[in-house]
Amino acid sequence: MNDGMATKTGSKYKKMTMSPQEYQTYAKTREPARSVPQNCLRAFLVGGLICTLGQAVQDFFAYAFGMTQQEAGNPTVAVMIMISVVLTCLGIYDKIAQWAGAGTAVPVTGFANSMCSAALEHRSEGLVLGVGGNMFKLAGSVIVYGTVAAFFIGIIYMALGLEGH
Amino acid sequence: MHFLWAFLVGGAICVIGQLMFDVVKLTPAHTMATLVVAGAVIDGLGFYEPLVDFAGAGATIPITSFGNALVHGALTEYYRDGWIGVITGIFDLTSAGISAAIIFSFLAALVVRPKG
């Protein structure tokens, strides 16, 4: 029995059905090679640019409303999220994300992107069950683990009687 | 000058995320959860605020700052209100990010037709 690819002695036609494993290995040989350094460079450039844009927004808030850099941080995050949602709606964010990998995923804009695309994707299931129920599908793990970690760190501070910062 | 540091530090944190994707082979969800917990622990050790002073948006825009803000809110209220502050303060500072993401995403879902 001749599974998968045709052998040299067999017919010149390839067997058209592959097992999933064969397909996986075949697809891997056909994928364009993306080297780790190249991915890292892209992530660095795009992630750095997003943070630079954030810095510009933060400076604007600091300058226009006389806030300290610390105070300007929160409205900056809100503005960046708004930009990210708009770009997600236009389908632009996901195009950049394909190129930039973690460069678009790690900034807070990626968090907003995951919520917005989940909301759009499940819109057809209704506003409550679809949008409401699925918005945190991807972003939920960030909130859950962040909150639990913050809770335990608070408990540790309490137990050790440490001073705050 | 602070734009340069924002670029370099923000880019570097994204490279760490990319390495977790490519080398450690974590899913995006695992990577983000790990980065948030890392940000929380770093703030617990007291190192995140100096990084923010140094790199500005380079430290506040990556998702690690979300963990930092959660811990910060919890600790601030803990010192103001006692033990209950650990629970009541956690979302104090992250409100902007979470509320904005929920509100804008919801509005987007109301008006936009999904792409692709």
Side-chain angles (χ1 to χ4, degrees):
Chain A
M1 187 60 199
N2 172 17
D3 266 338
M5 309 301 234
T7 59
K8 276 179 184 155
T9 52
S11 81
K12 64 176 178 172
Y13 299 107
K14 285 181 180 173
K15 200 180 159 202
M16 288 310 286
T17 50
M18 294 183 187
S19 72
Q21 289 91 338
E22 282 168 341
Y23 177 74
Q24 288 289 329
T25 47
Y26 176 70
K28 217 156 246 168
T29 62
R30 291 289 167 148
E31 261 176 15
R34 295 192 65 180
S35 65
V36 174
Q38 189 192 17
N39 285 354
C40 286
L41 181 69
R42 289 175 172 188
F44 182 75
L45 288 176
V46 175
L49 279 176
I50 292 175
C51 293
T52 311
L53 177 66
Q55 185 67 56
V57 175
Q58 193 163 314
D59 284 358
F60 168 76
F61 275 109
Y63 176 76
F65 299 100
M67 295 169 162
T68 65
Q69 286 284 333
Q70 292 258 341
E71 288 170 327
N74 273 335
T76 304
V77 166
V79 168
M80 295 303 285
I81 283 173
M82 196 180 74
I83 295 174
S84 164
V85 167
V86 170
L87 291 180
T88 304
C89 293
L90 299 173
I92 299 173
Y93 201 89
D94 298 273
K95 285 219 175 73
I96 307 173
Q98 277 186 347
W99 193 81
T104 47
V106 172
V108 74
T109 48
F111 175 78
N113 169 254
S114 72
M115 284 179 65
C116 183
S117 18
L120 294 182
E121 191 183 329
H122 295 277
R123 172 68 182 84
S124 56
E125 291 158 42
L127 280 178
V128 176
L129 291 177
V131 176
N134 291 293
M135 199 185 267
F136 283 103
K137 216 171 192 177
L138 298 163
S141 64
V142 167
I143 295 183
V144 169
Y145 280 90
T147 307
V148 171
F151 175 73
F152 280 111
I153 290 168
I155 295 292
I156 291 170
Y157 265 70
M158 228 162 76
L160 300 179
L162 291 169
E163 286 297 312
H165 22 251
Chain B
M1 193 58 192
H2 63 298
F3 282 102
L4 181 66
W5 288 123
F7 180 81
L8 292 177
V9 172
I13 295 174
C14 292
V15 169
I16 294 172
Q18 187 70 49
L19 289 173
M20 289 163 80
F21 283 174
D22 287 351
V23 179
V24 195
K25 306 273 183 218
L26 293 178
T27 67
H30 281 86
T31 306
M32 294 312 138
T34 312
L35 284 174
V36 166
V37 173
V41 171
I42 292 170
D43 188 50
L45 298 171
F47 296 133
Y48 209 91
E49 201 154 348
L51 186 68
V52 172
D53 289 339
F54 173 68
T60 56
I61 295 293
I63 199 75
T64 44
S65 92
F66 188 68
N68 157 58
L70 290 168
V71 170
H72 232 74
L75 292 182
T76 309
E77 294 234 338
Y78 164 55
Y79 287 107
R80 211 184 59 204
D81 302 339
W83 61 272
I84 194 71
V86 173
I87 298 285
T88 57
I90 282 184
F91 285 111
D92 233 25
L93 299 171
T94 42
S95 167
I98 297 181
S99 318
I102 295 176
I103 292 162
F104 294 135
S105 299
F106 183 79
L107 293 178
L110 285 185
V111 293
V112 177
R113 296 189 159 274
K115 290 240 167 185

